[in-house]
């Protein structure tokens, strides 16, 4: 199981948004601060915090909380 | 200084992001510095790393990242955002892969002559931007040099093409270094050395490179952030002048008083080579102009024997400018050393293996920089290099000669003890003072003196080379002085800047002498020459000001003693009627050029 609170905290720190504004429907289309630069930072942070190696495809797909969790669950086994 | 973040372990991008938020909250407690970053890639990704690492040194950075690959537009266009941001530091880092992508990917198809043309182009492009930048703003410039890493394949170590590439980049970097050395306040970072700290494999993240053109991994960004922060800090801070060393278990293994000259460890083999290595590192510092001194609890005769007799002791007695080998406490000894060398305690660094001594010195003399010596002597050299108290950037010729000059000055003092009267003594020195209008060649040293001189400095105004150059161009009088006596030459060791106020009056903006030449009445000669200079310009009044800096009390009565009249008590401004004859010091010869 992926620690959702850990992910939320991570996103809050990197995107500089209130943790309460992050939920399972959050994504780059409804969080203004989630731009191409912060996306890179987010991906790097996720790799280090969840101890996974992500592929270019993962990075490309990880543009929402749902897809991040889905990909992480697949990688963290 | 905010100590909250200083020693915190921060190892992941996420913890950098978290700490970055805290740094922003603490910004008001930190010294702010504006950095502009011009690069061929999305350098903005470095922001949290540079900011957090600089906060450890007490800085808050407002970073400006120019749009990628627009370094030339930003610099050449006077109206650009770069200039609007008023940067204190400009960092330029371009990747060959972005500047000449075809050359990098099809390197083997390029003939030598074609490559030479590109090399020339690169240097010319840099020459144009550096000269424009230097002419437009006074910011310090940091250039990160070139590499061709991203195109490298692991298996290509044996390939001649790869070797040609390395040599080619090396050649361009050499030219670049030469170019940067010719630009004032411009420093270079050797990129490949930074990469080596982590290793190429860890440095590059193909995914980040291919998808976002970011040339380094998260790990790489952290490492690079550290290097950039350290560089900015070193440039902005005045390096320490003196390293005070302990002896036993510091310069050699063991205790000389107990083990004797045959029993201490210092040799070509382990464990003696550990200390020999450390001695080499210390000598390197000395060669860069750092003064060496000893504070050791020992019998003088025991300890000095090592320097005189031990074949493997690389450091010699003459490498030290002061030696306090006795049983007094080390704080007292360090104070004595600083007084003897005429330097402030804040420019003294103390290295001792004994934690009690370190604590004692820290408590008694909080402004002395005490190195947190590692337990293992094997780590001594690294601790010395990582302490950041010494500046490894530009060493002027004067710096390198400082050790020799201090030695000569000690000879002079010994002579003083035998002289009856001060003037007699000064006369016996056979001094010649040369006073010159400063030009391009002297800019670096003149600026350095304004930044380093504390004691004999009437206004303590700090100026960059660019500012000094501007004064000259504006027609102000910028003079520097050098001194020679029977023992040798002191080099450029005095500066004066005099600004015209109106048709008849000039004002002394800066008047300083390096501590090496204090107490020889040279200041009177310098002032009388200034008086002659402004008289020639048709002036009738010379003004001067004394600004108290807590360190320059030596000069508080300077104007009074030279027949100036107090004009304004609040601003401590003095006035000299140029019809008066200046004080004449007949035992100093004057050379005007």
């Amino acid at each position: 199981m992926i620690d959702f609170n850990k992910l939320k905290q991570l996103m809050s720190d990197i995107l500089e948004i209130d943790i309460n504004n992050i939920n399972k429907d959050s994504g780059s289309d409804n969080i203004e601060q989630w731009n191409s630069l912060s996306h890179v930072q987010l991906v790097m942070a996720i790799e280090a915090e969840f101890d996974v190696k992500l592929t270019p495809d993962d990075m490309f797909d990880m543009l929402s909380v749902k897809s991040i969790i889905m990909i992480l669950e697949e990688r963290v086994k | 200084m905010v100590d909250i973040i200083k020693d915190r372990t921060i190892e992941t991008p996420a913890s950098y992001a978290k700490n970055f938020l805290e740094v922003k909250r603490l910004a008001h407690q930190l010294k702010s510095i504006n950095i502009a970053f011009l690069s061929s890639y999305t350098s903005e990704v470095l922001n949290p790393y540079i900011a957090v690492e600089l906060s450890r040194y007490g800085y808050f950075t407002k970073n400006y990242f120019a749009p990628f690959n627009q370094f030339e537009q930003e610099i050449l266009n006077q109206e650009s955002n770069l200039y609007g941001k008023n940067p204190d530091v400009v960092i330029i880092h371009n990747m060959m892969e972005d500047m000449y992508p075809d050359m990098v990917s099809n390197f083997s198809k390029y003939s030598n002559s074609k490559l030479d043309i590109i090399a020339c182009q690169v240097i010319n492009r840099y020459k144009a931007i550096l000269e424009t930048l230097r002419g437009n703003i006074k910011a310090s410039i940091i250039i990160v040099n070139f590499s061709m890493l991203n195109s490298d394949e692991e298996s290509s170590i044996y390939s001649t093409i790869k070797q040609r590439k390395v040599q080619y980049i090396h050649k361009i970097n050499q030219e670049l270094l030469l170019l940067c050395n010719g630009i004032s306040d411009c420093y270079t970072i050797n990129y490949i050395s930074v990469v080596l700290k982590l290793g190429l494999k860890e440095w590059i993240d193909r995914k980040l490179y291919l998808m976002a053109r970011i040339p380094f991994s998260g790990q790489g960004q952290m490492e690079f952030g550290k290097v950039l922060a350290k560089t900015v800090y070193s440039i902005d801070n005045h390096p320490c002048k003196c390293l005070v060393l302990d002896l036993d278990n510091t310069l050699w293994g063991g205790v000389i008083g107990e083990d004797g000259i045959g029993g201490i460890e210092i040799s070509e083999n382990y464990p003696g080579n550990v200390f020999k290595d450390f001695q080499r590192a210390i000598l390197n510092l000395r060669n860069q102009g750092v003064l060496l001194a000893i504070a050791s609890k020992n019998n003088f005769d025991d300890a000095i024997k090592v320097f005189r007799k031990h074949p493997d002791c690389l450091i010699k007695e003459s490498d030290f400018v002061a030696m306090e080998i006795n049983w007094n406490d080390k704080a007292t000894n360090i104070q004595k050393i600083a007084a003897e060398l005429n330097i402030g305690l804040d420019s003294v660094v103390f290295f001792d293996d004994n934690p009690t001594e370190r604590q004692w010195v820290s408590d008694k003399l909080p402004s002395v920089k005490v190195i947190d010596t590692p337990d293992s002597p094997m780590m001594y050299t690294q601790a010395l290099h990582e302490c950041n108290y010494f500046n490894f950037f530009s060493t002027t010729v004067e710096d390198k000669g400082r050790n020799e000059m201090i030695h000569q000055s000690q000879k002079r003092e010994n002579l003083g003890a035998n002289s009856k009267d001060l003037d007699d003594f000064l006369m016996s020195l056979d001094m010649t003072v040369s006073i010159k209008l400063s030009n391009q060649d002297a800019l670096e040293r003149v600026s350095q003196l304004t930044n380093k001189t504390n004691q004999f400095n009437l206004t303590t105004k700090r100026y960059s080379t660019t500012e000094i150059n501007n004064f000259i161009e504006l027609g102000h009088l910028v003079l520097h002085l050098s001194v020679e006596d029977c023992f040798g030459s002191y080099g450029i060791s005095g500066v004066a800047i005099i600004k015209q106020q109106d048709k008849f009056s000039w004002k002394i903006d800066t008047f300083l002498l390096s501590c090496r030449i204090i107490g020889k009445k040279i200041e009177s000669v310098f002032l009388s020459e200034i008086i002659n200079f402004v008289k020639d310009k048709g002036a009738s009044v010379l003004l001067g000001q004394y600004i108290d800096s807590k360190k320059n009390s030596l000069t508080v009565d300077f104007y009074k003693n030279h027949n100036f009249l107090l004009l304004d008590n609040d601003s401590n401004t003095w006035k000299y009627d140029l019809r008066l004859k200046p004080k004449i010091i007949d035992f100093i010869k004057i050379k005007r050029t």
Side-chain angles (χ1 to χ4, degrees), chain A residues 10 13 16 44 47 49 54, chain B residues 12 14 18 24 207 221:
Chain A
L10 202 70
D13 288 341
E16 299 187 26
M44 287 188 313
E47 282 192 320
E49 296 306 307
L54 299 166
Chain B
T12 62
K18 207 181 175 77
K24 284 193 222 172
K207 158 175 89 261
Q221 292 163 34

Side-chain angles (χ1 to χ4, degrees), chain A residues 9-10 12-14 16 37 40-41 43-45 47-49 53-57 59-60, chain B residues 12-14 17-18 20-21 24 42 44-45 48-49 205 207-208 211-212 214 217-218 221:
Chain A
Q9 185 60 51
L10 202 70
S12 153
D13 288 341
I14 286 168
E16 299 187 26
L37 178 71
V40 170
Q41 290 170 327
V43 169
M44 287 188 313
E47 282 192 320
E49 296 306 307
K53 261 281 165 261
L54 299 166
T55 67
D57 282 345
M59 184 165 156
F60 200 74
Chain B
T12 62
K18 207 181 175 77
F20 186 34
L21 295 175
K24 284 193 222 172
T42 319
E44 209 169 338
V45 75
Y49 309 105
D205 183 330
K207 158 175 89 261
L208 292 187
M211 299 190 69
I214 293 171
S217 63
Q221 292 163 34

Side-chain angles (χ1 to χ4, degrees), chain B residues 127 130-131 134 141 178-187:
Chain B
K127 190 168 189 284
L130 285 175
E131 283 172 356
R134 186 70 304 153
I141 305 171
L178 274 178
L179 174 66
C180 292
N181 283 346
I183 307 277
S184 67
D185 206 8
C186 177
Y187 311 89

